[in-house]
Amino acid sequence: MTGLKRATQLLTTPFHARTSAANLQGRWGPWAGYRAALCFGDVDMEYTAIRNAASVYDLCPMVKYRFTGPDAEAYLDHLTVRNVAKLKPGSVHYTLWCDDEGKVLDDGTLLRHGPQEFLLSCQERHLPWMLDAATGYDVTIADVTTEIAALSLQGPTSAAVLRLAGWDVSDLRPFRMLKVDFGGAELTISRTGFTGDLGYELWTSADHALPLWDHLMAAGALHGIRPIGTDALNLARLDAGFLIANVDFIPADQALRHDRARSPFEIGLDWLIDWTKGHFNGRRALVAERAAGSEWAMVGLDIEGNVSAEGSILYLGKKKEVGYITSAAWSPSAKRSIALAQIRRPYHESADIWVEIYAQRELQYAKLMLKADQTARPFYEPARRRTTPPQAF
Amino acid sequence: MLTRSSEVIVIGGGVNGLAAATRLAREGARVTLLETAAQTGGAMAARGAAGDMPLAHLTPGLDPRVAKGMALETRGLRFHAPLRDTALDLGGDHRTVAGGLASGADAAAWATLHQRLMRFASVLAPFRAMAPPRLKGGGNDWGALMRHGLGLRAIGAREFRELLRMVLINAADVAEDELNDPLLQGLMAHDATQGAWLGPRSPNSLILYLNRLAMGAQMRLPVGGMGSVAKAMTEAATAAGVTIRLGARVAQIETLEGRVTGVVLDDGARLLADHVVSAISPKATFLDLIGPRGLETGLLRATRDIRARGATARLTLRLNAAPNFRGADLQSRMVIAPSVNAVEEAWNPVKYGEVPKRPVMEIVIPTATEPELAPDGGHVLSALVQCAPHDPAKPKAAKTAMLKATMRVLEDYAPGLGEMVSATHFLMPWEIEAEYGLSNWHHAELSVEQMLFNRPNHATAQYATPIAGLWLGSAGSHPGGGITGAAGWNAAGAIIRGKAV
Ligand SMILES: Cc1cc2nc3c(=O)[nH]c(=O)nc-3n(C[C@H](O)[C@H](O)[C@H](O)COP(=O)(O)OP(=O)(O)OC[C@H]3O[C@@H](n4cnc5c(N)ncnc54)[C@H](O)[C@@H]3O)c2cc1C
């Protein structure tokens, strides 16, 4: 009993009053210490909202760091692999950062609010690492996770919903930001998201969370707006081919087994690296890996049939074990059974890859050996994701 | 790879810098040694007023590879006969130890223990002359490595088991289990912890005693003083073609794309090099000379985590007459450490930044052996006083208290000594660091978790560093400190083998 008394409840986000009221099934899951809705009622309806109307997803548990100061840019160029000097104020880029061995610690989106101000949003906590990396730089780093209320508004009608809410985003191009006033607070609208669809992320102070929620719901009432949980989002992000830390790769500082950490080459994100910008953390090891080759490859798979391949093992010629699935689902949009997978090189180039699936059918497992063909990512990418101004839906 | 046209810069002209520079020059490289002081020698050369003692007053004997490779004997370097040890007794009933034999009722027990520990030390000694094993990936057969590495076959299974039992225990337990004489127990406790940041009851203190025995069981005085070693080594370096620049303080090590390009001196002069061997503190090398912006975060952390606290204070007294330590042999190495607990009690306050009431110490009177060393007659008393706080809240008061406590103990053992003092030179650990750049006896504490493949840390343990062309070669690297030159010699070997460049 005493143990229970001392135990701490998961935190709730600033949107909790609304999300808990809407969560008909009480389906919650832990996410970075917060209680996050997995599904509000019907995952298919929620997924459909992402692809056909407008969806609202509570992003508050994402870990957020603010970097300010004269050396903020130089510091972030030291920390992360992408070229921060090229990121203009008012812009966002996707990036990642590595340990000394060139293994990925995490990925995230970096928002540049000004010449000396950035916000990084990521999956895991990294403050000790970031503070240590800041030695010798004039930069202030703060974990602002609890200060910021963030919502993701995604789907074809999202631009229309924002217009009805009073904010014209028709000129806002992908990876750009717009600042507007909302009830006396600053609201940042970035054309970003985790769904591979037309969509926006909204960032404001925590005390403006509920009014923002209500305002959006009212504005989107006739445009099919609905709150969505992690289950639906996860399906959409897989369509888009996005990776999640601790799902598709293990952050190097959390890996207990020496061979579990992955480099950017091994998760298909080496394109982010700027080799010309000078020193950055992990560069030495990555230069060596670029020359010597990597062990693993991240691939997108199109698997025959319609059974999700989650948690399955991959074989070369149905025999030799060469990899494993990290995420998989039947995609209603791609209308294919899709998966992200890790394959040991050089088998990532083989056309003879098979996946062994244990499919449960009414309590009984059937063993399937299905052909897995490599396919381009994103698995599903509607043109509206990039079109500016967005079409009216 | 090291080639004939390689430009090599060695930072620091201590025993290790001189050893490394000479070995590399003999290999054909063009070597420049940069030393900030007005003379080479590091801890072997006095910096203060003439007649002052250098930091180090004895040597366990130079690493034989260094002595031979630098032809130090040919250059006239001689040592007096190995010093006998005297464990001083307040009542004048001193114990002496020489050649592994002790006086007093515990003679037999001491001999047995000494022989066993020497056997252990002898299987550890070969490790001193090699680069530490590499810890990479899994799959190492540690059992096999230990067996072969430690020469199990040589000492037999039974003794090997004993070694494994004892290697990580504390010196106090061994002293108290195997000996009865408090004076001999105290001597062992003192010698195990001299220069270390731990007490005799701290875990893992015995291995430091074994390391000491592996260097040489008896200490030596160079003829002409410690400066003679510096002089002979400097001559050897010059003869090998090393260019020595004195008064040259390296302010920065420059790198490009993860490779060393050279150094910048504090006067702004820039020197280019293919290889830079840093024979100074590893912490200073990375944190000050490379600087945090040039370091990867993991390496920065690992470097900051290197512990390098010094607990040794340095006392030199000029005496106008020979002191009388109640009849003790003034030509011996005299140790004031009357029991295990005396050492432990001296150590306790240091953990809290305080000064011990009764410090323990090692005393040498070089002028008793070599009267010419006193310029105007009289004597020089040189003491390494153990258990000085490293970073006390009030440094000035701590220094005063430490000196006072030291003089009180000395007066107890040698009544009338205070009256003979004509000059006092006393340095606390932070002063030693400021003046000599040595924060700890070994530049980085020698302790089990900073040994072998963790010395000074995992990323830099094989003398090579993650920065191509930058090498470590001071006492902060394996096998640690002491006037032996082993670390510098090993570092040069690693560069010559060209590994990890
Ligand atoms: C108080 C004390 C007493 C000791 N007594 C003994 C003893 O009696 N017997 C024994 O065997 N060991 C003794 N030691 C240990 C021994 O002195 C050291 O382990 C040994 O000197 C290490 O040698 P080194 O060459 O690695 O470094 P050092 O001897 O410290 O030499 C490093 C040299 O680098 C120079 N330097 C530093 N920074 C720069 C820079 N930026 N640019 C250019 N030059 C630089 C310094 O001036 C110095 O000359 C003692 C240590 C201490 C602290």
Side-chain angles (χ1 to χ4, degrees):
Chain A
M1 277 321 280
T2 50
L4 274 181
K5 256 191 236 156
R6 247 183 267 123
T8 316
Q9 290 274 341
L10 285 174
L11 300 174
T12 56
T13 79
F15 296 108
H16 191 68
R18 298 296 179 272
T19 50
S20 57
N23 196 333
L24 301 178
Q25 299 186 339
R27 292 201 51 226
W28 302 95
W31 176 15
Y34 283 90
R35 189 184 303 191
L38 298 176
C39 178
F40 285 89
D42 184 328
V43 66
D44 296 328
M45 292 299 287
E46 290 171 24
Y47 177 80
T48 303
I50 299 172
R51 294 287 176 233
N52 297 297
S55 63
V56 172
Y57 184 67
D58 179 355
L59 278 182
C60 295
M62 289 294 286
V63 179
K64 296 170 225 47
Y65 296 108
R66 181 181 291 134
F67 307 91
T68 47
D71 286 340
E73 177 186 297
Y75 163 74
L76 286 163
D77 257 332
H78 172 90
L79 180 79
T80 65
V81 301
R82 209 166 175 179
N83 193 327
V84 180
K86 285 187 182 162
L87 182 67
K88 302 259 174 329
S91 300
V92 183
H93 74 200
Y94 172 60
T95 187
L96 63 79
W97 55 104
C98 293
D99 68 7
D100 292 17
E101 277 71 50
K103 303 299 185 190
V104 178
L105 287 166
D106 206 350
D107 60 348
T109 45
L110 185 65
L111 290 70
R112 186 164 199 167
H113 283 293
Q116 298 189 7
E117 189 188 343
F118 297 84
L119 185 83
L120 179 67
S121 162
C122 56
Q123 190 72 23
E124 303 290 328
R125 295 187 189 272
H126 301 279
L127 195 58
W129 177 264
M130 287 175 171
L131 290 173
D132 285 347
T135 313
Y137 291 90
D138 187 355
V139 59
T140 304
I141 305 171
D143 183 333
V144 293
T145 307
T146 56
E147 287 171 28
I148 294 177
L151 276 185
S152 182
L153 174 69
Q154 305 275 310
T157 65
S158 54
V161 172
L162 287 175
R163 196 179 326 108
L164 289 168
W167 305 308
D168 180 7
V169 291
S170 52
D171 291 338
L172 193 61
R173 284 176 288 122
F175 293 105
R176 298 284 301 171
M177 299 189 281
L178 179 73
K179 285 182 200 267
V180 298
D181 177 81
F182 176 66
E186 187 177 83
L187 172 71
T188 299
I189 303 173
S190 60
R191 185 161 167 192
T192 50
F194 210 48
T195 61
D197 215 300
L198 174 65
Y200 303 85
E201 286 169 326
L202 286 72
W203 317 75
T204 190
S205 58
D207 54 347
H208 285 71
L210 296 180
L212 178 64
W213 179 280
D214 295 340
H215 189 62
L216 283 179
M217 287 300 170
L222 297 177
H223 283 76
I225 198 166
R226 75 158 58 224
I228 64 161
T230 304
D231 291 348
L233 180 79
N234 196 27
L235 206 48
R237 73 92 195 174
L238 186 56
D239 283 344
F242 292 137
L243 309 184
I244 302 183
N246 269 318
V247 174
D248 300 293
F249 66 91
I250 300 223
D253 57 342
Q254 294 180 27
L256 297 178
R257 293 166 182 82
H258 181 81
D259 61 354
R260 293 300 195 269
R262 294 288 182 267
S263 76
F265 292 103
E266 294 175 317
I267 58 172
L269 293 177
D270 48 301
W271 63 273
L272 292 172
I273 302 171
D274 187 325
W275 299 101
T276 62
K277 71 171 180 174
H279 178 72
F280 60 86
N281 214 72
R283 186 178 194 278
R284 176 186 50 85
L286 291 169
V287 167
E289 183 174 336
R290 186 173 53 169
S294 312
E295 208 166 317
W296 292 93
M298 179 69 81
V299 298
L301 295 177
D302 178 346
I303 297 162
E304 65 175 306
N306 62 3
V307 183
S308 167
E310 253 185 303
S312 301
I313 291 176
L314 296 174
Y315 294 87
L316 177 74
K318 303 190 185 181
K319 279 205 183 70
K320 182 182 162 70
E321 202 180 305
V322 291
Y324 57 94
I325 303 280
T326 63
S327 295
W330 165 260
S331 163
S333 299
K335 305 212 170 12
R336 291 183 288 166
S337 173
I338 59 174
L340 291 170
Q342 285 270 282
I343 301 188
R344 231 177 250 287
R345 291 171 194 254
Y347 307 112
H348 68 297
E349 284 171 346
S350 166
D352 192 18
I353 300 294
W354 298 77
V355 56
E356 184 181 52
I357 301 177
Y358 288 73
Q360 206 204 47
R361 290 176 177 149
E362 292 177 293
L363 301 184
Q364 204 170 318
Y365 279 101
K367 195 164 106 177
L368 311 173
M369 187 64 93
L370 302 176
K371 189 79 198 322
D373 291 324
Q374 274 208 46
T375 184
R377 284 181 288 151
F379 300 98
Y380 171 74
E381 189 183 31
R384 60 179 177 263
R385 176 187 185 183
R386 298 186 192 281
T387 312
T388 310
Q391 295 151 269
F393 288 101
Chain B
M1 280 293 291
L2 190 78
T3 66
R4 297 216 148 254
S5 60
S6 290
E7 289 285 351
V8 179
I9 285 173
V10 175
I11 307 173
V15 64
N16 287 309
L18 288 167
T22 308
R23 188 171 180 190
L24 291 169
R26 284 196 3 192
E27 210 55 38
R30 292 191 293 210
V31 183
T32 305
L33 184 148
L34 304 172
E35 167 57 56
T36 182
Q39 70 285 318
T40 49
M44 303 184 291
R47 301 220 170 161
D52 273 350
M53 291 286 294
L55 287 182
H57 60 192
L58 294 171
T59 163
L62 287 159
D63 185 301
R65 299 168 302 157
V66 175
K68 185 155 173 276
M70 298 178 81
L72 297 180
E73 208 177 329
T74 321
R75 292 178 205 289
L77 180 63
R78 296 284 182 279
F79 294 91
H80 294 289
L83 269 63
R84 56 176 59 231
D85 297 333
T86 306
L88 292 179
D89 177 52
L90 259 183
D93 185 15
H94 311 304
R95 303 288 182 279
T96 58
V97 177
L101 298 174
S103 67
D106 234 6
W110 178 273
T112 307
L113 175 62
H114 181 77
Q115 275 166 25
R116 157 168 282 171
L117 295 182
M118 280 306 280
R119 237 174 1 252
F120 294 165
S122 72
V123 296
L124 294 177
F127 272 104
R128 296 180 49 82
M130 60 182 263
R134 200 174 274 275
L135 268 189
K136 196 165 187 191
N140 265 327
D141 184 352
W142 287 110
L145 192 68
M146 288 281 273
R147 261 196 320 279
H148 297 312
L150 300 180
L152 169 67
R153 288 191 176 85
I155 61 168
R158 195 120 164 252
E159 280 293 272
F160 182 65
R161 239 188 349 258
E162 267 302 284
L163 171 58
L164 287 188
R165 179 181 74 83
M166 290 175 72
V167 75
L168 294 182
I169 67 178
N170 68 70
D173 278 356
V174 176
E176 287 170 349
D177 281 356
E178 309 294 335
L179 306 170
N180 290 310
D181 183 342
L183 282 176
L184 292 178
Q185 290 171 336
L187 177 67
M188 185 176 159
H190 170 274
D191 288 358
T193 56
Q194 187 186 40
W197 186 264
L198 41 69
R201 296 198 190 281
S202 308
N204 311 323
S205 47
L206 186 73
I207 198 167
L208 302 186
Y209 192 70
L210 296 178
N211 180 62
R212 183 186 177 101
L213 295 181
M215 283 193 281
Q218 275 179 295
M219 292 292 150
R220 288 162 169 268
L221 265 178
V223 174
M226 201 47 84
S228 309
V229 184
K231 185 165 160 279
M233 290 184 81
T234 305
E235 276 172 26
T238 309
V242 176
T243 306
I244 295 178
R245 288 184 55 179
L246 299 174
R249 180 167 198 81
V250 176
Q252 204 187 326
I253 298 172
E254 293 198 302
T255 64
L256 184 70
E257 303 248 305
R259 209 197 146 86
V260 148
T261 56
V263 303
V264 182
L265 302 184
D266 64 353
D267 64 6
R270 174 171 274 126
L271 284 86
L272 300 181
D274 305 304
H275 296 275
V276 172
V277 185
S278 179
I280 67 168
S281 135
K283 276 186 115 149
T285 302
F286 288 110
L287 300 181
D288 302 339
L289 301 190
I290 295 281
R293 284 191 180 212
L295 291 179
E296 296 190 282
T297 306
L299 180 58
L300 172 78
R301 279 181 166 178
T303 306
R304 263 204 314 231
D305 288 347
I306 295 173
R307 274 161 306 149
R309 295 155 296 182
T312 309
R314 185 71 180 91
L315 175 69
T316 310
L317 298 177
R318 311 265 244 112
L319 308 175
N320 49 31
N324 182 358
F325 281 86
R326 302 183 192 272
D329 173 9
L330 295 186
Q331 294 186 358
S332 67
R333 182 178 80 102
M334 297 180 282
V335 173
I336 299 181
S339 67
V340 168
N341 279 354
V343 183
E344 188 70 17
E345 279 160 17
W347 164 247
N348 282 338
V350 172
K351 294 185 276 190
Y352 311 103
E354 288 159 14
V355 170
K357 285 202 179 61
R358 293 189 68 82
V360 294
M361 65 193 83
E362 168 186 280
I363 302 160
V364 181
I365 302 181
T367 44
T369 304
E370 212 178 321
E372 309 81 73
L373 289 176
D376 35 304
H379 280 282
V380 174
L381 181 149
S382 169
L384 299 182
V385 186
Q386 280 301 122
C387 306
H390 172 75
D391 191 14
K394 292 184 182 148
K396 238 175 140 177
K399 179 175 178 172
T400 309
M402 188 78 193
L403 180 58
K404 224 169 146 187
T406 304
M407 293 307 297
R408 203 181 314 120
V409 171
L410 279 170
E411 186 71 28
D412 287 349
Y413 280 84
L417 181 112
E419 298 286 288
M420 302 175 180
V421 177
S422 62
T424 303
H425 189 235
F426 188 63
L427 293 176
M428 291 292 270
W430 60 90
E431 296 173 306
I432 292 171
E433 177 167 14
E435 204 167 318
Y436 288 83
L438 255 174
S439 61
N440 170 276
W441 184 284
H442 306 273
H443 278 300
E445 286 164 39
L446 195 67
S447 52
V448 99
E449 67 283 6
Q450 289 191 159
M451 276 184 176
L452 289 169
F453 37 74
N454 265 336
R455 183 154 190 85
N457 60 36
H458 69 278
T460 58
Q462 281 79 25
Y463 309 102
T465 70
I467 295 162
L470 176 65
W471 305 81
L472 298 185
S474 80
S477 290
H478 174 77
I483 303 302
T484 75
W489 197 260
N490 287 355
I495 301 168
I496 292 164
R497 283 193 305 279
K499 284 211 188 124
V501 181

